[in-house]
Amino acid sequence: MAKRLVDSLREAGYRLTAPRLAIIKVLEAETGHLSPAEVLEKGRAFYPALSRATVYRTLDLLTKLGLLRPIYLGEGNLCFIYPREGHHHLICSKCGMVVDFDECIAAPLGQALSERFGFRIESHLLEFYGLCENCQKDEQKQAGGD
Amino acid sequence: MAKRLVDSLREAGYRLTAPRLAIIKVLEAETGHLSPAEVLEKGRAFYPALSRATVYRTLDLLTKLGLLRPIYLGEGNLCFIYPREGHHHLICSKCGMVVDFDECIAAPLGQALSERFGFRIESHLLEFYGLCENCQKDEQKQAGGD
DNA sequence: TTATAATTGAGACAGAATCTCAATATTAAA
DNA sequence: TTTAATATTGAGATTCTGTCTCAATTATAA
Ligand SMILES: [Zn+2]
Ligand SMILES: [Zn+2]
Ligand SMILES: [Zn+2]
Ligand SMILES: [Zn+2]
């Protein structure tokens, strides 16, 4: 698990530095969805001098290597997810609640697209949007005011 | 087509104002993926006094109503898409190129999740990430430097 | 060890998003 | 129509986010 990010960096010819390791530890420790600000904060537990610029640079680098994915979940914050195969989300477009689920049907389509467009597909995003049970109830009571 | 956004606003009890109409016209005119800044600029063609705050407020509102979806495409800019059924993307994680395609297999899974979690699903996101042909070639030549 | 070049932190900077509040416009009721 | 109640707005201040520069540091291979 820990190996994947580290090895991919190395194989691509990038140096394995203390700041990068701190960031990778954060990404691996959390199963979830981390904003750059959270990565910075948590990363300083491993490497106190960690700077904001380095966090952004490293998240971008890992994204370019296809190891992370930027996504908007719920409350309008960019976050990066470290994709586990077949891990996806159900998001309430009103209150922002996020439900995780592990189930997927995207592989065959991915295969087809890969051939059609000459892409080498590394991962995908599958997110459903809608209203959670609570927000459905709220909706019936009120109309108008937020 | 034009009706959908307008009617949904009304039905949810929100007022139909000139600034909102301008924004809706922009969203309908463009098939693509618009950043808030683009919506502001284009929206001023319909309603010159349109303000940035109103653009953000309206995009958020339409998102809460499940009519728009915030997404990161390619080069790290937030944009909002006005989902057309089965319209999705293939994104190069290195150079940011976006390929559109219209094909989808998410509906049955959506149905199942809806029942399992009590969500009312309104739409979904299905995006594939990988390397485009050019970036695959580049990768073979160099290792290391950006 | 040493040389080389990638990487870093700090802080300046630019741009994006949010907030406040008085002024305005929509809507429903009179 | 007219009016009253209230949602919505624009402008600008403000706060956050993300980028950039550059000298200092550090990983790596020789
Ligand atoms: Zn999947
Ligand atoms: Zn909800
Ligand atoms: Zn998750
Ligand atoms: Zn590419």
Side-chain angles (χ1 to χ4, degrees):
Chain A
M1 215 16 135
K3 286 273 179 65
R4 194 164 156 239
L5 293 177
V6 168
D7 289 351
S8 302
L9 265 187
R10 279 229 142 97
E11 280 161 28
Y14 294 97
R15 293 185 179 173
L16 191 58
T17 66
R20 284 177 178 165
L21 260 174
I23 291 166
I24 287 175
K25 278 187 196 164
V26 171
L27 294 172
E28 282 163 353
E30 309 282 326
T31 61
H33 338 97
L34 290 161
S35 69
E38 286 169 331
V39 173
L40 177 59
E41 190 199 327
K42 290 177 201 286
R44 283 184 166 158
F46 298 110
Y47 184 81
L50 186 61
S51 83
R52 190 154 41 116
T54 297
V55 168
Y56 280 99
R57 287 189 280 232
T58 303
L59 294 176
D60 285 351
L61 177 57
L62 294 174
T63 299
K64 279 197 181 10
L65 293 175
L67 300 166
L68 286 186
R69 207 144 7 47
I71 178 182
Y72 259 88
L73 287 181
E75 299 295 290
N77 298 58
L78 166 62
C79 45
F80 286 81
I81 58 184
Y82 175 28
R84 290 182 282 137
E85 190 58 34
H87 175 84
H88 301 295
H89 306 103
L90 198 51
I91 302 157
C92 177
S93 34
K94 193 156 180 197
C95 71
M97 186 178 77
V98 176
V99 173
D100 296 74
F101 67 90
D102 290 279
E103 203 167 326
C104 193
I105 34 63
L109 177 54
Q111 178 65 28
L113 291 168
S114 172
E115 286 161 17
R116 189 184 317 163
F117 295 106
F119 256 69
R120 182 166 84 222
I121 290 180
E122 289 163 334
S123 58
H124 64 267
L125 209 60
L126 175 60
E127 316 291 319
F128 289 89
Y129 289 76
L131 286 186
C132 70
E133 281 187 310
N134 281 336
C135 289
Q136 286 177 54
K137 282 176 203 154
D138 289 354
E139 206 187 38
Q140 296 172 339
K141 291 177 208 156
Q142 27 159 314
D146 191 54
Chain B
M1 205 28 125
K3 286 275 180 61
R4 192 160 157 243
L5 294 176
V6 168
D7 289 351
S8 301
L9 265 187
R10 279 231 141 94
E11 278 161 27
Y14 293 97
R15 292 182 181 176
L16 191 56
T17 65
R20 284 178 179 163
L21 260 174
I23 292 166
I24 286 175
K25 279 188 196 164
V26 171
L27 295 171
E28 283 163 354
E30 307 283 326
T31 62
H33 339 98
L34 290 161
S35 69
E38 287 167 331
V39 173
L40 176 59
E41 189 199 327
K42 290 176 200 284
R44 283 182 167 160
F46 298 110
Y47 183 82
L50 186 62
S51 83
R52 189 152 39 116
T54 296
V55 168
Y56 280 100
R57 287 188 282 230
T58 303
L59 293 175
D60 285 352
L61 176 58
L62 294 174
T63 299
K64 281 197 180 9
L65 294 176
L67 300 166
L68 285 187
R69 209 144 10 46
I71 179 182
Y72 255 92
L73 288 182
E75 299 293 285
N77 298 57
L78 166 62
C79 47
F80 286 80
I81 58 184
Y82 175 27
R84 290 182 285 138
E85 191 59 34
H87 176 83
H88 301 293
H89 307 101
L90 199 51
I91 301 158
C92 177
S93 35
K94 194 159 181 196
C95 71
M97 185 180 74
V98 176
V99 174
D100 297 74
F101 67 91
D102 290 278
E103 202 168 326
C104 191
I105 35 59
L109 176 53
Q111 178 66 28
L113 292 167
S114 171
E115 285 161 16
R116 191 186 315 162
F117 295 107
F119 257 68
R120 182 165 84 220
I121 291 179
E122 290 162 333
S123 60
H124 65 269
L125 207 61
L126 175 61
E127 315 291 320
F128 289 88
Y129 289 76
L131 285 187
C132 69
E133 282 188 310
N134 280 337
C135 290
Q136 287 176 54
K137 283 177 205 155
D138 289 354
E139 205 185 39
Q140 295 170 340
K141 293 176 209 160
Q142 26 159 313
D146 194 57

